[in-house]
Amino acid sequence: MKSKLCLTVLLLFVFGLLAGVAVAQDSVSITVRCKASPPEEDWRCNNFAVVEEQVEADLGIDIDLNLIQDNAGWGDYKNEFVLASEAGEAPDIILSGHEDIGAWAPAGFIIPLDDVIPLHSEFDDMVPSLWDSHGYAGQIWGIPQDAEARPIFYSKLLLRDLGWSEEDIESLPDRVVAGEWTFADMLATAEAAIDEGVVDAGNGWWHRPSNGPDFLYYYYGHGGEVLDNEGNLVVDSDALVATYELLGGAVASGVLRSDVIGLDWNEVWHPTVAQADTVLFAAGGTWNWPNWAINYVADKGGDEFLFENIGLTLIPAMATGNAITLTHPLTYMISSGSENPDVALALIAAITTPEHNNKHAIDSFHLGILNAQLESEAYANNRLLSSAHYMLDHTTALPNHPGWNAWSNAYFLGIQAVETGEADAAGAADIAIAQMQNELGDGITVR
């Protein structure tokens, strides 16, 4: 009898390991660390508390769940995780930008998930393009938490003043997808609006006023690559020059302000774009919409005012001929120091459902991560999210590589140089490439 009992216990133990679940014990401690802007992004961590009992019942364990959520600056937040990892005190689950995979995976701070993702059917419905941004060295290292798109917002109000018909205005996103209306057309429209006095010089098109992911799609749009087929950093000099020609040319033509970099987001950029009566085209993010509705045009009708006067479309095609956007998913990663990674992943799987992700997506105006969310009433009835979800089929992403920050900062130096008139496009490319080589040495190949 004793040998049969031992065999049963052994089989249960092995089955637990194969199924990817923790063997029952008194209590399993799981700490989750999230950055969130309250209250609209609070579901990033709070969703775990909602599913805690469900996961406990599924796994037959007790979970001591510790949620740590605040809105610390990204630099401090990421440094906190690095220091905690080095000290052996990292949380089990860390939420951060997918590009951190490129630094944290080779450093040994997080674990790959390829072998265990198939154990949870919740992940089967993930929007395929989101997985593309979670790879490093041929493996998947995180689970997407949310998504967004970075579109061109256009003022319907000002296009009407320019003489566009309602049909022309409403069909613009479809014409951009089809490649019938390109980035060159956008710049030409902006120049016409300035010539006809619809907008002032410098207000035909605004991009973001600080360094950030958005600038990369101009380089991608000219055929540039950041990683080669082996995952090594590269820079395409022709694409770099073409990108700087586009940006410098927009300033020279009067379409873009030479001082747009440096404008205050909250005091100038957001309130000006949200009013729809000053800037014709603006490159932003889908998450800007609720900010504008609540903080800048609430007295004019909020959402209804925005839908009446502002539209959004993919970034129109440049040299590649394809309309694109850029998505920067936040992702849940599991620390290599976690004693119960199976429980951590089970918790992540439990909140990766239309019901739970909808709460975050709708409250924070982020795009859903699951195809099935389009079929859910709550998501489908949200005009902005359901109308922008298609952008995930055309998206690009930041590269996951330890040298990405150095590459990005050098690229931005060139943007600043060409827009302020410090250098022409070729000179700006020389500045960027020299900085990349200085920072990355043999780690960057110049094409």
Side-chain angles (χ1 to χ4, degrees), residues 291-321:
N291 179 32
W292 297 345
I294 295 169
N295 296 314
Y296 300 108
V297 296
D299 59 334
K300 295 185 175 183
D303 254 6
E304 289 305 314
F305 171 84
L306 293 176
F307 277 114
E308 175 67 21
N309 294 291
I310 294 180
L312 64 160
T313 183
L314 290 167
I315 309 301
M318 294 172 234
T320 64

Side-chain angles (χ1 to χ4, degrees), residues 6 10 139 159-160 173 336:
C6 290
L10 178 61
Q139 294 180 289
L159 287 177
R160 293 183 191 113
S336 57

Side-chain angles (χ1 to χ4, degrees), residues 1-296:
M1 179 65 72
K2 183 177 179 180
S3 62
K4 289 184 177 180
L5 178 60
C6 290
L7 178 60
T8 300
V9 172
L10 178 61
L11 288 173
L12 287 173
F13 178 78
V14 172
F15 178 79
L17 290 179
L18 291 175
V21 298
V23 177
Q25 51 188 286
D26 290 340
S27 181
V28 170
S29 178
I30 297 290
T31 297
V32 185
R33 182 72 172 100
C34 302
K35 170 179 162 57
S37 174
E40 67 271 15
E41 294 177 347
D42 283 351
W43 288 114
R44 283 178 172 158
C45 250
N46 291 352
N47 260 332
F48 287 104
V50 177
V51 302
E52 179 181 2
E53 290 187 4
Q54 169 197 330
V55 175
E56 287 178 328
D58 289 345
L59 301 185
I61 60 174
D62 290 326
I63 299 175
D64 178 15
L65 186 63
N66 181 29
L67 304 179
I68 306 173
Q69 180 165 260
D70 56 35
N71 197 24
W74 275 115
D76 291 340
Y77 177 85
K78 296 180 183 187
N79 192 47
E80 172 194 300
F81 176 72
V82 169
L83 294 176
S85 296
E86 292 173 343
E89 300 174 353
D92 297 87
I93 298 171
I94 178 71
L95 173 78
S96 198
H98 75 85
E99 75 279 8
D100 292 318
I101 290 171
W104 294 348
F109 295 157
I110 57 176
I111 63 173
L113 303 174
D114 305 71
D115 293 340
V116 289
I117 285 174
L119 299 175
H120 297 276
S121 60
E122 292 90 343
F123 303 136
D124 293 346
D125 190 45
M126 190 72 64
V127 173
S129 62
L130 297 182
W131 288 125
D132 296 339
S133 60
H134 285 66
Y136 178 79
Q139 294 180 289
I140 299 296
W141 298 79
I143 305 296
Q145 186 270 325
D146 68 10
E148 24 83 333
R150 293 161 191 257
I152 290 288
F153 292 102
Y154 55 93
S155 169
K156 298 179 181 180
L157 178 67
L158 295 174
L159 287 177
R160 293 183 191 113
D161 291 345
L162 192 58
W164 282 37
S165 69
E166 291 303 312
E167 180 181 357
D168 289 338
I169 292 171
E170 297 305 325
S171 67
L172 184 57
D174 291 335
R175 288 187 284 135
V176 168
V177 170
E180 298 169 1
W181 200 83
T182 67
F183 208 91
D185 292 319
M186 188 191 86
L187 295 178
T189 302
E191 286 192 57
I194 293 167
D195 291 343
E196 297 186 24
V198 174
V199 297
D200 293 336
N203 293 338
W205 164 51
W206 283 10
H207 55 55
R208 62 179 294 128
S210 62
N211 194 7
D214 311 41
F215 286 112
L216 189 57
Y217 48 58
Y218 305 118
Y219 175 75
Y220 281 157
H222 286 97
E225 293 184 327
V226 182
L227 298 178
D228 63 18
N229 292 334
E230 287 72 46
N232 302 310
L233 281 178
V234 298
V235 59
D236 295 313
S237 55
D238 288 346
L240 203 60
V241 171
T243 300
Y244 293 151
E245 286 177 342
L246 179 145
L247 296 170
V251 172
S253 69
V255 166
L256 176 69
R257 289 176 57 156
S258 62
D259 63 346
V260 69
I261 293 176
L263 294 180
D264 187 274
W265 277 108
N266 298 321
E267 296 296 325
V268 181
W269 202 94
H270 286 307
T272 304
V273 174
Q275 298 298 323
D277 60 359
T278 302
V279 177
L280 182 56
F281 300 108
T286 51
W287 67 92
N288 295 150
W289 193 276
N291 179 32
W292 297 345
I294 295 169
N295 296 314
Y296 300 108

